Amino acid sequence: MAPPAQTVRSSSPSQPSGKGEVSDLKLQLRQLAGSRAPGVDDSKRELFKKVISYMTIGIDVSSLFGEMVMCSATSDIVLKKMCYLYVGNYAKVNPDLALLTINFLQRDCKDDDPMIRGLALRSLCSLRVANLVEYLVGPLESGLKDSNSYVRMVAVIGVLKLYHISASTCIDADFPATLKHLMLNDSDTQVVANCLSALQEIWSSGAATSEEASRERETLLSKPVVYYFLNRIKEFSEWAQCLLLELVAKYVPADSSEIFDIMNLLEDRLQHANGAVVLATIKVFLQLTLSMTDVHQQVYERIKAPLLTLVSSGSPEQSYAVLSHLHLLVMRAPYIFSSDYKHFYCQYNEPSYVKKLKLEMLTAVANESNTYEIVTELCEYAANVDIPIARESIRAVGKIALQQYDVNAIVDRLLQFLEMEKDYVTAEALVLVKDLLRKYPQWSHDCIAVVGNISSKNVQEPKAKAALIWMLGEYSQDMQDAPYILESLIENWEDEHSAEVRLHLLTAVMKCFFKRPPETQKALGAALAAGLADLHQDVHDRALFYYRLLQYDVTVGERVVNPPKQAVSVFADTQSSEIKDRIFDEFNSLSVVYQKPSYMFTDKEHRGPFEFSDELGNLSIGTESVDTTVPVHKVEANDKDLLLSTTEKEDTRGPINDGAYSAPSYDGSLVSLAAPQTQPEVATSNPSVKEHSQSSFAIDDLLGLGLPAAPAPAPSPPSLKLNSKAVLDPSTFQQKWRQLPISLSQEYSVSPQGVSALTTPQVLLRHMQTHSIHCIASGGQSPNFKFFFFAQKAEESSTFLVECIINTSSAKAQIKVKADDQSASQAFSSLFQSALSKFGTA
Amino acid sequence: MISQFFVLSQRGDNIVFRDYRGEVQKGSAEIFFRKVKFWKEDGEGDAPPIFNVDGVNYFHVKVAGLLFAATTRVNVSPSLVLELLQRIARVVKDYLGVLNEDSLRKNFVLVYELLDEVIDFGYVQTTSTEVLKSSIFNEPIMVDAGRLPPLGPAAIFMQGSKRMPGTAVTKSVVANEPGGRKREEIFVDIIEKISVTFSSSGYILTSEIDGTIQMKSYLTGNPEIRLALNDDLSIGRSGRSIYDYNSSSGSGPVVLDDCNFHESVHLDSFDIDRTLTLIPPDGEFPVMNYRMTQEFKPPFRINALIEEAGPLKAEVIIKVFAEFASSVIANTILVQMPLPTYTTRVSFELEPGAVGNTTDYKEANKRLEWGLKKIVGGSEHTLRAKLTFSQQSHANITKEAGPVSMTFTIPMYNASRLQVKYLQIVKKLKTDNPYRWVRYVTQANSYVARL
């Protein structure tokens, strides 16, 4: 703790700044130190209060340390508490003086009153002075054995404090083992809960270096421990329940009946008034049922009502936290919430952070049956006095239009926006109309008629202006005035501050020129001249490029600048499904509120309990114990038919051991998604760039605009190359398998040679490995075999997962493919099929 | 797990500051306050209750004009921290009787005492007002509640209604009464917040009631309490529209969409006779929260109209009809309506004989405000306003103004018809029959009529 000297604020009379007051206090404290006069405690209280209040507002009162300690010889508990608070705050910067306090704290640790014992022990452990740790061990040992639960409760947390000051002292005294014993045997639930918190922290931080710690950490997730907690959960405080539920969410039950037992036991936790308990319970339900599609969906139905109740009760802050989670679920499964759309209507007095979430939810749940009502509601918000929300609402209407439901009516509404004559409404609507035209070129006629009526003078925002200019260029053949409007815009080139607008102007005037050369020639010349003289590098370069292009060959120029376009079918999603899954895995954490996985906003050591489960698989495999197969079993623990023979272990262990130390698969995605926030920006602000992605690639590249994932008209997939040394650890496999949707499911025939060669699963494994397709688990007996394979792309860490069931009597193979990159799954499937067809022929 | 806890005044002064783990720098309160302040000034609206600056996560809730805040570097459950902050505020209120800047400043040592016991090294230990009693030794210094602005929904009972002991809701759980003997009493408040949106033609677009049964007990010896609700109460709208035909006009069963309960509530006989059994802990707490979207009769009907009346002129007419029994009186009513941004002047015209009305045009945010001290059930009130514009309106004027929103409080009225049939104290007490107060109040949450 740093000395709080930096924030000395003066001026206000209630906040004295001078040293005068502090030295005054010092004097008065000295006078009282030895006094036994009646009423001295009252005067001391007043002085202590002053000291604490100075400390609170940030005045450095550490110089009083000696006097405070001298005055602390008292039986007055209020005084004692104030003194402890003071000492805890300043001991770290006064390690020498802190030694003075050890004596009286140690004495108090043996007091008859358990309250005093507890307080003293808590303060003793809060000193945070490394060279005093030797004084802690004794009092902690007796504290953990104290007959009073308050003292034990304090002692348990004391052990954790000691661990943070000196981990080795804590381990040498064998405190973790003591805590473990207490956790499983103490009668007081808060003592138990504190043990769990402390052990989780101690073992998680130790797991990186100590195998024992990582093993111990794993035992917390073992069935006996989890059941011990589950059976007593209602005896715990609501806060401790959250802690236990977080643990249960990481537990992997053996079979579905166990899953249902746990869910039935926890069912009534969904009715708890504390939102934290409800969300922690929901996390358990969601995690347990991930592999059971039907039940998982029932869980969504079940948790809807409790979540909505939590959103509408409690303070706005609490409902925001719950709403963020509801938002996540709505985004994952909009169809389940489509009939609840009215709950996502905004109330006029809600803060804008709530309204924003609600608008996104309304957009997501829109479908054929409710679009009309939702859009009607959104249009009301467009006239809202809260301008940012009005803008968001218009964007929401546009997004719904792009989702294709009832486009007809929506286009009319958008056009009505343009007629509302509010600057920001017009601006937003223009951007939307532009996007809409890119997807539905067939609407151009109606839209252009309206857009043509808008005076470019009324459009000031760069984005809107750029959109308008893009439409002028794109549809110049349909808009009578297009060349003249462009011309007048070019005349005001100097006044146009946005480089983006000037870039668009260049491109639009080029397009216009190809369509209506005589009318545009003059304007084009002026634009190119202005562009070449432009101080902005990108504008200059683009003008120069166009100039030389035209010089070289006008028809080539047309092909480059204004090629025939295909309608955009799907606009790039702002967040990859992998990121979304990662956030879902971190349900009931800040990741959901920030809409980012934890690695994007926290340091590794602070990621909280969630890292825990991810590392688990790796760590257990890293150890060469008999347990090695356990995580392999977990791959599909629910598939009871899946058995591993001992020989197969040899096969699977190789790649798995490597896998344990390879970079986690998410690291690869980090690079490509480094700036997920900026992606929508790019997608909307550079329409022409995207539009020309095929032909004007060079321009974009030159301009350094960064090409968004090109929605090119489905290029023939590049030949797929697989990484022959691909690695994947079973827990990652398991996790991915749960998260990814099936992207392909097919049935092949197996050649007669193949059938006859398939005597045991292992032969196929070796064969597939030569084709860079690796097996992670296999089992079964003739005629039914079941395999789980995986493969990775050669250049990137994009993974394919395959479940393959081969029936030798019918000579059929059924495969299900899940892939990080779903577009490549067809290519992968053919590769897989060809590899399989070669089986037995060699 | 949290790292620091602090309470800031509206001006950003630290009133209490407790560092539990020493992981976050000392200046965090200042960083936090700047961020919150500038969020608004940057035109982004209110700062969200959770945000991250340089790897530190900041949480806050606003209670009684104070900012209760916590920091952590760990990826914790956001609900847990926000619930905790809210709970700390409630515990502090239980002890101080009144929660505001003044009472907090006077009692900051007691608050430190509480904080020491509630959280240890960032982990919650207990938030039970009762458990904490044994470890709190400071006596609260009471502040005068009378001249303070009311806070919390229960505070409305302090005004009006002479039957209520006005000081009760602001009584500390530990303070000794002047007379020495504690008054045995228990309060059960049914507080409902209603949200209704009327379409321009007066048709109800959406409606919802969010209710809480709140309890505050000053009974010694923690007796068991039985609370009986409507016999025909049902929960869950499985059949959706099935109920709609008989529910429009205040008869038929009460159907809640969903509800949740406080930990102490036993639901053993709830399914049979709709009775809640509980041993109330000390302090104030919600027994049950519920939500209802079943149709109900809104207490007020609003008719609003804006019409152009010649160039640069328009007229607004707002009519409010009180559709509840004449024995019920609504108070502190405020009707607001945003006007076109080019409105320069507004002249108001009230009905002849109107009393307790205030009218105002707030130039800064272009808003018309009409306040009424009280409205008696069954009555009707009209406001006419003549607007003068600085420019000609081109577009549809109804798109430039509205919607009309209304706030009000109606004591002894509840729209859901959920009732506490009886409140029974099961264990016989030595003292005389304790005072039992069951009070109803309805407030507007979002009460909006579109133009």
Side-chain angles (χ1 to χ4, degrees), chain A residues 227-280:
Chain A
Y227 274 50
Y228 162 76
F229 286 134
L230 273 176
N231 287 326
R232 302 175 63 189
I233 194 160
K234 280 163 207 172
E235 298 162 30
F236 286 80
S237 79
E238 49 198 311
W239 313 106
Q241 287 184 15
C242 296
L243 183 74
L244 301 185
L245 289 167
E246 201 54 63
L247 185 80
V248 176
K250 279 175 245 145
Y251 172 67
V252 183
D255 54 38
S256 51
S257 73
E258 211 184 332
I259 292 176
F260 292 128
D261 284 348
I262 295 176
M263 283 169 52
N264 285 327
L265 183 78
L266 296 177
E267 164 70 26
D268 64 349
R269 298 293 91 190
L270 291 174
Q271 277 197 335
H272 204 288
N274 186 331
V277 174
V278 177
L279 280 175

Side-chain angles (χ1 to χ4, degrees), chain B residues 116-383:
Chain B
D116 248 2
E117 302 298 330
V118 169
I119 297 168
D120 195 4
F121 208 51
Y123 291 102
V124 191
Q125 301 299 304
T126 180
T127 51
S128 152
T129 298
E130 197 155 334
V131 174
L132 286 166
K133 266 187 185 169
S134 64
S135 40
I136 301 304
F137 295 90
N138 276 292
E139 292 222 347
I141 301 160
M142 302 311 273
V143 296
D144 183 12
R147 56 189 169 78
L148 298 164
L151 31 110
I156 67 111
F157 296 118
M158 287 158 60
Q159 325 143 359
S161 205
K162 292 184 192 82
R163 290 177 295 141
M164 305 294 176
T167 52
V169 274
T170 60
K171 196 159 75 173
S172 163
V173 290
V174 284
N176 288 321
E177 306 249 318
R181 207 165 65 106
K182 240 179 93 178
R183 186 164 148 135
E184 291 290 323
E185 54 190 344
I186 180 163
F187 295 84
V188 178
D189 300 331
I190 294 91
I191 302 162
E192 295 191 344
K193 293 186 177 169
I194 59 180
S195 301
V196 180
T197 307
F198 297 96
S199 74
S200 51
S201 48
Y203 167 74
I204 296 173
L205 289 170
T206 57
S207 62
E208 178 167 317
I209 300 176
D210 299 315
T212 303
I213 301 181
Q214 191 165 293
M215 190 177 273
K216 191 162 188 181
S217 159
Y218 295 96
L219 301 177
T220 40
N222 295 67
E224 190 179 275
I225 304 276
R226 284 163 65 82
L227 212 60
L229 307 178
N230 310 36
D231 307 331
D232 55 358
L233 179 74
S234 61
I235 295 163
R237 307 190 74 197
S238 44
R240 270 194 181 276
S241 56
I242 296 173
Y243 297 106
D244 284 349
Y245 61 91
N246 63 2
S247 60
S248 51
S249 60
S251 60
V254 176
V255 186
L256 303 180
D257 287 36
D258 186 50
C259 56
N260 61 37
F261 301 95
H262 187 261
E263 279 218 302
S264 62
V265 178
H266 289 282
L267 297 169
D268 305 336
S269 60
F270 186 67
D271 285 338
I272 307 154
D273 59 3
R274 295 297 180 215
T275 306
L276 305 171
T277 313
L278 68 155
I279 295 170
D282 281 359
E284 190 178 292
F285 69 98
V287 175
M288 170 182 170
N289 296 306
Y290 57 92
R291 180 168 56 83
M292 186 175 119
T293 53
Q294 180 192 26
E295 276 179 43
F296 60 92
K297 191 170 184 181
F300 292 103
R301 211 151 41 79
I302 309 172
N303 255 351
L305 194 73
I306 181 165
E307 271 179 344
E308 274 170 280
L312 303 179
K313 277 191 170 33
E315 191 179 26
V316 172
I317 303 171
I318 304 174
K319 278 189 186 186
V320 173
F321 306 91
E323 306 212 292
F324 43 86
S326 55
S327 57
V328 173
I329 299 170
N331 56 41
T332 53
I333 300 107
L334 182 64
V335 181
Q336 292 179 300
M337 175 173 159
L339 298 177
T341 48
Y342 39 77
T343 309
T344 50
R345 221 169 58 82
V346 181
S347 65
F348 295 97
E349 194 183 303
L350 286 162
E351 294 161 289
V355 282
N357 282 7
T358 56
T359 51
D360 195 6
Y361 171 55
K362 289 268 172 351
E363 186 88 42
N365 47 16
K366 306 285 175 194
R367 200 187 289 265
L368 170 163
E369 289 188 2
W370 175 26
L372 297 100
K373 266 217 180 87
K374 57 182 171 185
I375 294 183
V376 180
S379 63
E380 180 186 324
H381 300 262
T382 309
L383 175 77

Side-chain angles (χ1 to χ4, degrees), chain A residues 351-386:
Chain A
S352 35
Y353 52 80
V354 168
K355 284 183 180 163
K356 268 187 195 159
L357 285 179
K358 285 192 163 178
L359 288 176
E360 283 178 34
M361 287 150 91
L362 277 176
T363 315
V365 299
N367 65 10
E368 289 88 341
S369 59
N370 60 21
T371 293
Y372 178 79
E373 281 184 70
I374 291 179
V375 171
T376 308
E377 180 75 13
L378 287 172
C379 290
E380 289 286 342
Y381 307 153
N384 202 306
V385 279
D386 183 351

